[in-house]
Amino acid sequence: MIKLENINKIFANNFYALKDISLHVSKGELVLLKSASGGGKSTILSLIAGLSKPSSGEVLVKDERISKLPDDFASLFRRQNIGFIFQKFNLIEDLSVRDNIIVPLIPSDFDEDLIEKRVARLLQRFDLSEKKEEIVRNLSGGQQQRVVIARALINEPSIIIADEPTANLDEKLSLDFVAFLQELQNEGKTIVVATHDPLFFNLPFVDRIIEIHKGVLL
Amino acid sequence: MFLLSSILFIANSIRYELERTLNSLPPITVQKLQAGRHELISLQKLDKLLDIDGVQSAIPRYWGYYYFANAGVNFSIVGVDIFDKAYSDILHNLLENGTFGNDGMLVGQGVAKILRENYYKEYFNFVKSDGSLKQVNLAGVFDAKTSLESNDMIFMPKALVQEIFDLPQDKATDIVLQVANKDEIPNIIAKVKEIYPDSRVITKDDMRISYQNIFDYKSGLFLALFIVAIFTFFMIIYDRASGLSGNEKKEIGILKALGWRIEDILQEKFYEAFIISFFAFITALIAALSFVYLLQAPLLRDIFMGYSVLKSDFDLPFTIDFRMLSVVFFLSVPIYIAAIIIPSWRVASMDADEVMR
Ligand SMILES: Nc1ncnc2c1ncn2[C@@H]1O[C@H](COP(=O)(O)OP(=O)(O)OP(=O)(O)O)[C@@H](O)[C@H]1O
Ligand SMILES: [Mg+2]
């Protein structure tokens, strides 16, 4: 499902954020990427989602060479296949909950009914129905996190990517997130979570933990 | 944008007035000079002037300045021949209400206002040169639309003008010639000078130049203001174009990360910029229109109207020049849109990753 082949990612001053990384995630797997801060987790997730390109090597997602796709095609591919749960939420703060959730659908020209049906289902699922028209800025951290997840699911992607999803949550909310994660796994989604939160490392339903240190696989 | 449109509106109104004024000027005016000064001209000259080839008519004019001490201003009093069809037509057009009798006068709005302020509602007592008073009835006030040219004017029968200014019966202030063919004007001028070397001959073009000078002087100020306005506008544009704020960049990054293509993002930005700038345009337009035509452009108009002796009011005539509107439109809306789209495009073509960091 997801394949990285001999990836190098080099930033300014010849800094290697990733060094010769190869890894493989199968369909339906839940994989954790683990490293200390600065280890290169976010960089790997960006490459998988086509948000950036490797300096060398190839990234294949669903057999598509996403690392070679022109920018607009990468966007389209991302829209159709990947739900991204960002570390810093990345919500559009002065839009309502509903509007934030449908952002990924806007360029697709879906019909209104379908959109509203999907939104209603997600709002219900993440206990946000009453907050539908609330401006996101005014929500609590846990509520914002749930909006982020709902937004990641609106396009019904087969791959979910989460970057330090619990970094901004207290313990209770973190546990809620873990529960969501398991639900998603049960739905058959392929999931990659970057984290250094110990909470994740002894969960029975996690399939694999990939550890990185300063851009190198351990 | 508001200032810009206001200035354009005022300039336009004034230019319009100027054109009208110029068109109503006589083609040739003959004055007598004595010791370098304008003197009364003898009516005996009329026949000889009429004999010049190409001169259609020669009409004496009786006019002068009357100093109105209470308000410290000068009015122009113009005597007209009430039986002269040319004049009565013009007056008929100018007239808002009232009729013109043997002992009545028609005044511009500025004059009417000052008279009213000084408690003369129905008549005015002119002081003649021998110190006695001459009462003249206020027969009517000119239409507001013609205000710039006739604002400080008083029209009355020529007999009254002669009486008030104590003009001799055989003399007039100057003589106006109408010509059949404009190309003949230089020849006619030459002939007039030949017959009466002590004349000063003024043509419409001379007038045009001096009016134009006044206007140019004012439009110099106008231009300065205009440049300031344009400059401010482009400062804003430059500010927009030279980079998006951190938030705007981040937003574009988010959209891209959520699977928006560059064209999707630019389309959205285009709508946004179009709506914003179009609204700004309409708002500025309405604000400028009401500022200039409803409020009569306080502050700004003084710059244009200059420092006339007569500090009285006149209306800016309402004219809308669609060419001018489209200039404002094309100066503002597309430029603003471009100023939004170009930096957005730059940001949108970067890696989403990079943008969101
Ligand atoms: N666009 C960039 N330009 C320069 N350096 C970068 C860039 N992106 C990442 N880096 C560097 O690459 C390294 C890996 O960054 P990355 O964000 O992938 O780490 P991480 O494991 O996600 O860390 P964290 O736990 O702090 O999120 C870091 O040293 C970071 O400073
Ligand atoms: Mg990170």
Side-chain angles (χ1 to χ4, degrees), chain A residues 9 11 46 51-53 71-72 75-76 78-79 84 86 88 90-92 103-104 106-107 151 155, chain B residues 250-251 253-264 268 348-354 356-357:
Chain A
K9 180 69 180 177
F11 288 116
S46 286
L51 295 179
S52 61
K53 302 243 181 292
D71 199 88
D72 277 354
S75 290
L76 200 61
R78 178 159 63 242
R79 193 197 303 166
F84 208 125
F86 300 94
K88 289 177 200 140
N90 283 337
L91 292 166
I92 299 175
V103 164
I106 292 173
R151 183 179 66 182
N155 267 327
Chain B
K250 195 177 156 208
E251 196 178 300
I254 293 172
L255 293 178
K256 206 173 170 192
L258 293 174
W260 287 42
R261 287 166 304 173
I262 296 173
E263 62 190 85
D264 300 325
E268 183 72 20
S349 4
M350 286 160 56
D351 278 347
D353 205 25
E354 203 76 22
M356 283 188 297
R357 272 175 71 87

Side-chain angles (χ1 to χ4, degrees), chain A:
Chain A
M1 194 73 165
I2 300 170
K3 215 170 178 180
L4 274 67
E5 292 173 345
N6 309 103
I7 293 293
N8 287 301
K9 180 69 180 177
I10 310 168
F11 288 116
N13 300 325
N14 216 21
F15 172 75
Y16 277 75
L18 297 177
K19 246 179 263 167
D20 197 31
I21 301 273
S22 296
L23 57 84
H24 180 252
V25 179
S26 311
K27 187 168 183 331
E29 247 191 325
L30 196 175
V31 171
L32 301 184
L33 277 178
K34 176 185 176 188
S35 83
S37 182
K41 302 183 292 290
S42 299
T43 307
I44 291 179
L45 297 186
S46 286
L47 291 172
I48 295 173
L51 295 179
S52 61
K53 302 243 181 292
S55 307
S56 67
E58 291 220 36
V59 182
L60 285 93
V61 180
K62 287 178 120 183
D63 299 325
E64 189 76 64
R65 274 171 212 281
I66 194 161
S67 53
K68 291 271 160 29
L69 282 182
D71 199 88
D72 277 354
F73 290 92
S75 290
L76 200 61
F77 183 84
R78 178 159 63 242
R79 193 197 303 166
Q80 288 162 351
N81 299 290
I82 298 174
F84 208 125
I85 298 169
F86 300 94
Q87 176 171 1
K88 289 177 200 140
F89 297 166
N90 283 337
L91 292 166
I92 299 175
E93 299 238 308
D94 36 41
L95 290 185
S96 69
V97 168
R98 175 197 173 270
D99 291 346
N100 262 283
I101 292 175
I102 66 165
V103 164
L105 288 184
I106 292 173
S108 307
D109 275 339
F110 282 114
D111 76 61
E112 279 298 309
D113 286 353
L114 180 80
I115 292 177
E116 290 312 320
K117 230 186 262 167
R118 283 195 192 178
V119 171
R121 216 166 45 220
L122 287 168
L123 287 173
Q124 174 116 37
R125 175 169 178 188
F126 294 103
D127 198 18
L128 289 165
S129 299
E130 278 150 40
K131 303 285 178 189
K132 185 176 175 187
E133 300 302 333
E134 190 84 51
I135 300 303
V136 156
R137 186 194 310 283
N138 304 328
L139 297 182
S140 71
Q143 289 165 335
Q144 293 195 5
Q145 167 83 317
R146 300 206 297 273
V147 176
V148 175
I149 303 169
R151 183 179 66 182
L153 297 177
I154 191 84
N155 267 327
E156 310 191 328
S158 53
I159 298 170
I160 303 286
I161 287 171
D163 194 355
E164 310 209 29
T166 56
N168 295 303
L169 303 180
D170 62 22
E171 201 183 327
K172 155 116 197 351
L173 291 172
S174 297
L175 286 169
D176 286 349
F177 180 80
V178 168
F180 288 136
L181 213 55
Q182 191 173 8
E183 277 178 37
L184 294 176
Q185 189 197 25
N186 292 338
E187 286 167 25
K189 312 251 186 228
T190 306
I191 305 169
V192 181
V193 181
T195 186
H196 48 216
D197 186 342
L199 176 67
F200 285 91
F201 300 129
N202 37 32
L203 294 174
F205 58 89
V206 168
D207 295 308
R208 200 145 47 97
I209 298 175
I210 297 171
E211 226 175 310
I212 321 163
H213 183 69
K214 293 192 175 167
V216 182
L217 274 186
L218 291 183

Side-chain angles (χ1 to χ4, degrees), chain B residues 95-125:
Chain B
L95 199 55
E96 204 169 57
N97 48 42
T99 44
F100 197 51
N102 264 331
D103 57 350
M105 61 179 171
L106 296 174
V107 302
Q109 303 241 340
V111 179
K113 187 172 171 228
I114 286 182
L115 291 185
R116 233 179 294 121
E117 280 166 5
N118 289 280
Y119 309 109
Y120 291 103
K121 287 210 179 70
E122 274 135 30
Y123 64 89
F124 180 68
N125 286 323

